[in-house]
Structures are given as structure tokens and as C-alpha cells.
Amino acid sequence: MEATAQEVDAAVRAAHAARASLADRTIRSAFLRTAADQLQAAKDQLVEVADAETALGPVRLTGELARTCYQLRAFADIVDEGAFLDVVINHPDDTATPPIPDLRRYKVPLGVVAVYSASNFPFAFSVPGGDTASALAAGCPVVVKAHPDHPALSELVAIVLRRAAAEHGIPEGVLGLVHGFEAGVALVKHPLVTAAGFTGSVRGGRALFDAAAARPVPIPFHGELGSLNPVLITEAAAAERAEAIGAGLAGSMTLGVGQFCVKPGLVLAPSGDAGDRLVKSLTDAVSDVGSGVLLDHRMRDNFLAGVAERAELPDVESPVTAGAGGEHTVSPGFLTVPADKLAVEGRHDLLLEECFGPLTIVARYADEDEAKSVLSRLPGNLTATVHVSGEEAAGEGRGPELLAELTPLAGRVLVNGWPTGVAVAAAQHHGGPYPATTSTSTSVGGTAIERWLRPVAYQGAPEALLPPELKDDNPLGLPRRFNGVLER
């Protein structure tokens, strides 16, 4: 199924030719809602095919499809509202220093967007996922590079989306689909591709990021690459509810067989009795979790090798040993290590790298300075979590300082919760400092649409020549800033 260079070119050119069909926001939003309706109508077939290729199970996949449909409808609402266009109008003002001419600014779509599907979310981060939905909402046609772990599902979903497009007079080329590694490389290099969205590994994402930057005309590359998602548990929190924290951690790190991009991969827990109780609770809870299937055998092999390599490091212990649960499955586990081994560069640096699958590292710290030293060595992350006591949550002790210490590490900072689960909401941010992502944008939530737009300002343009979005009488009823006043 590997697409040839000619097939990639044809898909991109067809998408490029479909740009004008997305110009009308009313048609765009209707298309997105129809896409959601038709995906929901095809639920049984889609879930069956997805489960056959991913083994994620009907319950998980049904929920993920519902989330995907909700996201499409949410972007339709954003398109209808129009605030994402960021309309700003300034009339001339000769009294200003320097004088202000007539200026009118809004955002326009970039053009064809390349989307690289993820393996672990065959709906929400694949062909109909957030990158595709937000790009179409912005008015950008899409060419998706399908993930090799679910090719049949990718083809089936593409058919559904194209059928939804046709209902609104939109050419099928508005959503292209290609398969294969070389096709993915050719896609990011194509001169008509104007931006790219990626979810996957650091290695693969960085190679595509570099290719996007090395083009004769570089393009934005919004990549989600990898994340350790550290968790800091204060001594007071452990003393207050060690058992509950241990059980919660077990549920989060094993959810989806540890294949979530926000799985907590490094946990800083205190030494002493409270930390011991937490580790025992974690041991009991993880021991009760059965083995599960990873998305493919390559991931399974990498997981088993990664666990073995980490477990062999000096001073590392394995209260629950992760490993092969069967011919196709893996069992969850966790490793413990003194935090001082991670506080300085050395042989234990591997423990500060993501291990994709149901494994987490629990680093036992002796004091606050030791915990801070470990945090100071961490790369960028999607999430960072702190568990505090009731008094600390009320502002006592170091409570107020902890969020400030974690904020530089991640795009989403959680208090007394777990990072698995990324709500589709206006205030959501799913991104973070490199290598979590290659840009400052989010791939989940309403502001994900901003990735596929660029601002343009018109100066001194006669009213008759302006696009309707920028006319004084606001015929489209858009939210805007008019001569310094916010109008809604």
C-alpha cells in the first residue's frame, strides 16, 4: 500500500485545488457536523475494524470515537462563532504618534496541511482527529499520512469523511490519504504543503521537523514527540493519603496498557514511612492489573528491551516486574531508585527518558532539595503533576511555590490529579517545551485552530475592495476589536 511519489503529488494537488470549497464558513461548519454524524452512524463497522487492527477493545474505541465526533462538532461551533479570525479594525488617527492609517487585520488559512497519524489513538489522533478537524475548521484541506498500525481503518474513515464533504459540494480531494514511510517524507517536502501536524516518536518527529525546516520554503511543523510527565508527591501529601495516591498512580500508568502520551513516567515520592506506604499501595494495585496487548510487536519488543535495560542499572529495584505476559502481551510494573542517582548526570540518565508502555519509575527523595535537583534535569513535557496535602493546597508551606517550579517543565500542570485524560475544552493545552512538542501550540482544544492560520493586514484599502470580515458594518456579525473597543 506504499504510495508512490506520483500518488503523493496527486493527493496534495487535489487538496490544493479544493481550497476554495472551504472558503465559506457556513459550508465548513456544516461539513464538520455532517462528518461527525456520519462517523457516529458508522460506529459499529468502524469500531470493529479498529479493534481488529489495534486490539484496544470495543469499549475504549467506542468512547474514543464519541470524543472524536464531539471534537468535530466543537470546531464547527468555533467556525460559526468566528472569534478565531481575530478581526481588528483601526480607522485613521492623525493625532497619534506616529499617525495611524486605516488598518484592518484578520487571519487567513495557510493552505494544504499534512497530518501524520498516531498509533495509540486510531480515531482521536488519526485520520479524523484533532489535527484534521482543526485544519479543516481553519479552511485548510488536509492530506493524511496513515499510520501503518491501522491502515484499513484509515481508508474506511477517509471514505466517510469524503462522503460528508460531497454532501456539501466539497471535492473529495479536500481529504487526501497516503500510506508508507517514504510517502510521509515526500509529503512534508511537497512545495504545496504549507504546514504539518505530527504525533509520534521523538526520532520520527525530529526527522520530519528537520525536513520541514530544510525546505527551500520552510513550513511550520507542529509535532508532539514524547513526554515523561513527571509527578511530584510531597511528604505531607504522602502522609495524608499514601494509599489513595498509590492506587491512583497505578490506574493512570496502566491505563490503555501504558500507551497514553500523558502516562506518568517518573514519580518523585518521599523516603520514609509515608513513601513506603505509597509504594506498597502501588505494588498491590499494579499486581492486580492483568497483562495487555501493545499496539504492535515492534512496540512490544522496544518495551521489553527498555524495561530490561533500566532494571539492570545499579540501585534500581523492581517491586513489580514488568515483562512479557504472553506471546503477544505485556504485564505492567514499576521500578524504584534513590533520587540522588537522577540528580546528577550519569549512568541512570536512561530513567529520565520515556518508556512507552505500562512502566513508571519511582524515585525516592530524601529532602526537597533532592527532588528539585531531579526536576531541574528534566526535558520539556506535556504534563507535570504535584500531589499536595490539604494544608499545602490552602497555601501553607511550599504549596504556592510548587506550581511555579513545575510550570517551566510542561504545558499542563495538574494538582492532586492524574494526567491521563485530555479533555476537549476551550482552555485545554496539549503541548509543552521541546521535546514534548516542536511548537508552543496545542493540538487539543479550540485554540488548536490557530496553528493553520496566518495574520494579514490591509492598509488604506477602499471599503468596496475589503473582504466582508473587515467591512465597517460587520455584515457577518463577527466578534472583533473596532477602534480599540472589543465588540461581541
Side-chain angles (χ1 to χ4, degrees):
M1 295 180 67
E2 176 90 24
T4 65
Q6 292 75 19
E7 288 170 332
V8 173
D9 179 67
V12 174
R13 292 189 181 280
H16 183 74
R19 289 173 302 153
S21 67
L22 294 176
D24 187 314
R25 287 189 301 118
T26 302
I27 292 176
R28 265 193 344 250
S29 62
F31 166 36
L32 292 171
R33 291 191 179 95
T34 299
D37 292 344
Q38 294 204 5
L39 286 170
Q40 198 65 49
K43 176 188 67 175
D44 292 344
Q45 182 185 13
L46 293 174
V47 168
E48 181 180 0
V49 173
D51 190 34
E53 291 188 313
T54 68
L56 288 173
V59 174
R60 150 73 194 275
L61 290 166
T62 299
E64 186 185 328
L65 179 58
R67 176 192 191 278
T68 302
C69 294
Y70 174 85
Q71 184 168 241
L72 286 162
R73 295 185 180 107
F75 275 114
D77 292 342
I78 289 170
V79 173
D80 285 339
E81 181 194 57
F84 72 97
L85 294 169
D86 287 342
V87 175
V88 183
I89 295 176
N90 285 127
H91 283 166
D93 184 358
D94 292 336
T95 67
T97 306
I100 297 173
D102 186 284
L103 287 169
R104 296 156 191 260
R105 179 185 186 274
Y106 76 150
K107 291 181 177 177
V108 298
L110 288 174
V112 179
V113 170
V115 169
Y116 294 81
S117 295
S119 62
N120 53 344
F121 287 91
F123 292 118
F125 285 82
S126 188
V127 177
D131 287 348
T132 297
S134 58
L136 292 172
C140 295
V142 172
V143 179
V144 181
K145 189 273 181 187
H147 197 280
D149 280 353
H150 48 266
L153 177 67
S154 298
E155 289 286 345
L156 186 57
V157 168
I159 290 171
V160 173
L161 295 183
R162 289 166 182 159
R163 188 167 61 231
E167 283 197 17
H168 299 280
I170 299 173
E172 291 187 353
V174 75
L175 182 84
L177 183 68
V178 297
H179 298 262
F181 176 81
E182 294 299 332
V185 175
L187 184 59
V188 80
K189 293 181 177 181
H190 197 287
L192 294 180
V193 168
T194 61
F198 171 91
T199 304
S201 68
V202 173
R203 181 180 177 184
R206 183 53 194 259
L208 290 170
F209 173 80
D210 290 345
R215 290 169 37 131
V217 178
I219 60 172
F221 184 90
H222 301 284
E224 179 191 324
L225 310 189
S227 185
L228 196 59
N229 305 302
V231 178
L232 172 63
I233 301 166
T234 68
E235 188 169 2
E240 184 178 88
R241 56 182 197 285
E243 289 75 17
I245 292 174
L249 172 58
S252 184
M253 60 158 284
T254 61
L255 187 64
V257 201
Q259 296 175 107
F260 282 24
C261 52
V262 288
K263 178 204 74 178
L266 174 69
V267 180
L268 287 160
S271 301
D273 176 67
D276 290 344
R277 289 191 291 116
L278 190 154
V279 170
K280 183 180 185 306
S281 173
L282 178 62
T283 300
D284 293 343
V286 173
S287 297
D288 288 339
V289 178
S291 58
V293 179
L294 294 184
L295 290 160
D296 60 38
H297 273 274
R298 176 183 58 82
M299 293 181 188
R300 181 178 182 273
D301 292 343
N302 289 341
F303 174 73
L304 296 177
V307 170
E309 189 175 3
R310 288 164 172 79
E312 290 172 357
L313 293 170
D315 301 302
V316 170
E317 297 182 359
S318 183
V320 181
T321 302
E327 184 180 357
H328 303 292
T329 61
V330 297
S331 59
F334 70 98
L335 304 172
T336 62
V337 64
D340 62 358
K341 302 298 180 184
L342 305 180
V344 294
E345 185 176 355
R347 295 180 62 187
H348 292 78
D349 287 357
L350 179 63
L351 301 179
L352 302 181
E353 298 178 13
E354 179 184 14
C355 183
F356 190 75
L359 178 80
T360 196
I361 309 299
V362 178
R364 305 291 299 275
Y365 65 88
D367 53 41
E368 293 174 358
D369 288 341
E370 199 168 86
K372 289 177 66 174
S373 295
V374 176
L375 292 174
S376 71
R377 299 199 61 231
L378 298 185
N381 291 270
L382 294 170
T383 71
T385 300
V386 61
H387 280 264
V388 297
S389 68
E391 287 187 357
E392 289 170 326
E396 301 294 331
R398 292 188 62 244
E401 301 173 25
L402 294 174
L403 262 65
E405 292 176 6
L406 293 178
T407 297
L409 291 178
R412 180 162 58 107
V413 179
L414 297 90
V415 179
N416 290 348
W418 299 105
T420 39
V422 184
V424 178
Q428 184 59 272
H429 187 82
H430 189 61
Y434 185 86
T437 53
T438 59
S439 72
T440 59
S441 302
T442 180
S443 62
V444 179
T447 54
I449 196 173
E450 296 173 359
R451 296 174 296 168
W452 321 119
L453 300 162
R454 70 173 180 88
V456 59
Y458 295 96
Q459 180 173 330
E463 179 89 2
L465 303 185
L466 288 169
E469 292 86 353
L470 297 180
K471 291 183 180 294
D472 279 349
D473 61 354
N474 198 10
L476 302 180
L478 294 170
R480 62 183 186 173
R481 187 171 292 278
F482 190 81
N483 288 330
V485 178
L486 186 63
E487 297 180 347
R488 293 189 178 277

